Amino acid sequence: MFDITDLSVPIVAAPMAGGPSTPALATAVGDAGGLGFLAAGYAAPATVAEQIRQVRSATTAPFGVNVFVPGAPADPAAVAAYRAELEPEAARYDADLPEPDPGDDDHWDDKLALLVDDPVPVVSFTFGVPDRDVVQRLRAAGSAVLVTVTSPGEAAAAVSAGADVLCVQGPEAGGHRGTFDPEADPDPTPLPALLAAVTAMSPIPVVAAGGIMTGDDVAAAMRAGTVAVQLGTAFLRTPESGARRAHKDALADARFDTTTLTRAFSGRWARGLRNGFVDAHPDAPAGYPMVDQMTKPLRAAAAALGDPERMSLWAGTGYRAATEEPAATVTTRLWERARNSR
C-alpha cells in the first residue's frame, strides 16, 4: 500500500474540482517526485475512469483521486429563496436556472465501486469522513485513505474511521473548506496553530494545507511535524492546470486585491477572489449541492464571455505568488527552497 512518507518530494497537488485538476497536472507533479491528484467531485464516474486511465498511461508515479462525501439535504425554502434572488443574474446572461435536485449525491456509490474495482494508490475525501466500512473496502483493495479535516474534532473522527493520513486544511486555503458540517462557520484557527493541535493528538501522518505558496511556507509546515504539504493555488496558473483563462489571469490582476469566504457560488464556504458576484450575494444559504447546481449555468456563461466578475475565482490567501511555470518546475523549486531553509 502507498505510504505518503515515501515521497521523494513531499508536495501534494491539491485536488481542485470543476476543471483545474487534470491528468496532465497529476502526472507532472508525480513525475517531479510529488503526489498528483485527480478531482472526482462533480465529474461523472466514466470521466473519472478515463482520467485515471490517462494518468496511468502517462506515468508510473503514484497518484490519488479525491471524492466528495455527500451530506444531508439543505433547507428547500432557503434554496428556493436564493433561486429567486439569482433570477436577475440569469437574465443578465440569458441563462436558465435549473430546478435543484436535493437527491444529488455526486454518484457516491458508483465512484466508490469504481475505486474498489480499479484501485488507485490514494483515495482522499472532502466534506466529511466516510463510514468505517467504506475505508476498509478501499484499504482492502490496496488504496491508502486520506481525509481532509479542519479541526481536531474532525481529525479524531477520521482517525476513528480508520484513515491512513490526515490532510489538515487551514482557513487560508483556496476553494472549498472541508468542514464536515455545512451549516457551521469554518474554524478560523490559523494553520500553524491548527497543525500544532492536530499533530499533538494524531497517531497517523499529517499533511498541511492552506495558503502554502513558497518554499519557506513548505519548510515551516514540515518543521511543524507534517510529512508533506498540499498546494492548490500554487498550481492554478501552470500550463497543466485546467482552470479557465479568466481565472488564471485574475490571480495576477490588480483589480482583484483580496480573497474572502463565500457561499454564493456553491452553498458551501469557499475562499476565492472577491468579485461582483460575491459582493452581490453576501447572505447565500448553506445549500450545497443545490446552490452549486443553480449557479453552474451562470458561471459557465460568465466564463464563456471571459467575465471574471461572475466566476468562482477560487484562490488561497497567497495567490499572488502563483506563477505560470510548468507544474514540475513549481514542484522542484518549492522543495529545493524548502530544503535550503529548513
Side-chain angles (χ1 to χ4, degrees):
M1 182 181 294
F2 172 80
D3 187 334
I4 197 165
T5 63
D6 289 339
L7 288 174
S8 60
V9 175
I11 290 178
V12 179
M16 297 176 284
S21 288
T22 64
L25 180 56
T27 298
V29 173
D31 283 345
L35 180 67
F37 257 96
L38 297 174
Y42 311 131
T47 300
V48 178
E50 172 58 20
Q51 291 191 339
I52 291 172
R53 187 199 66 76
Q54 289 180 28
V55 174
R56 284 183 175 143
S57 68
T59 184
T60 58
F63 66 98
V65 174
N66 176 258
V67 182
F68 289 167
V69 178
D75 176 6
V79 173
Y82 191 51
R83 189 177 189 277
E85 182 180 325
L86 291 173
E87 288 291 356
E89 300 276 7
R92 177 197 300 246
Y93 292 108
D94 194 24
D96 294 324
L97 296 179
E99 288 292 339
D101 174 13
D104 179 11
D105 67 357
D106 201 29
H107 306 284
W108 171 254
D109 288 337
D110 291 340
K111 288 176 182 176
L112 290 180
L114 167 66
L115 293 169
V116 169
D117 293 342
D118 189 15
V120 298
V122 188
V123 177
S124 73
F125 292 95
T126 301
F127 298 157
V129 58
D131 292 340
R132 189 173 184 84
D133 70 304
V134 170
V135 174
Q136 290 175 339
R137 286 168 56 202
L138 290 166
R139 296 187 82 251
S143 298
V145 174
L146 180 152
V147 177
T148 302
V149 300
T150 64
S151 70
E154 292 178 353
V159 170
S160 179
D164 297 291
V165 185
L166 299 176
C167 179
V168 177
Q169 184 197 52
E172 305 87 350
H176 283 101
R177 297 288 284 133
T179 310
F180 291 4
D181 181 359
E183 298 281 350
D185 289 335
D187 189 328
T189 305
L191 180 61
L194 184 59
L195 284 174
V198 175
T199 56
M201 53 76 65
S202 176
I204 60 176
V206 170
V207 174
I212 299 172
M213 296 291 296
T214 68
D216 290 342
D217 294 338
V218 174
M222 299 296 286
R223 287 194 298 268
T226 65
V227 300
V229 296
Q230 178 172 285
L231 301 84
T233 305
F235 292 110
L236 273 177
R237 297 183 68 206
T238 65
E240 296 88 350
S241 161
R244 301 273 192 167
R245 184 73 255 170
H247 187 174
K248 292 184 177 185
D249 291 345
L251 295 170
D253 189 330
R255 289 181 297 163
F256 301 103
D257 59 4
T258 189
T259 66
T260 188
L261 285 173
T262 181
R263 281 183 172 139
F265 292 103
S266 72
R268 264 191 172 271
W269 287 118
R271 182 173 295 281
L273 300 180
R274 181 178 173 182
N275 62 7
F277 193 89
V278 171
D279 287 344
H281 305 287
D283 300 316
Y288 182 87
M290 292 185 285
V291 169
D292 183 79
Q293 296 165 11
M294 292 188 301
T295 66
K296 185 174 182 179
L298 301 178
R299 290 177 278 134
L305 295 173
D307 177 8
E309 292 295 342
R310 290 301 186 271
M311 295 171 60
S312 51
L313 305 173
W314 301 143
T317 54
Y319 65 97
R320 284 292 193 231
T323 70
E324 294 185 312
E325 299 168 293
T329 302
V330 172
T331 304
T332 301
R333 171 175 55 80
L334 291 175
W335 183 231
E336 289 180 347
R337 172 62 181 176
R339 286 190 300 177
N340 290 333
S341 63
R342 289 178 71 183

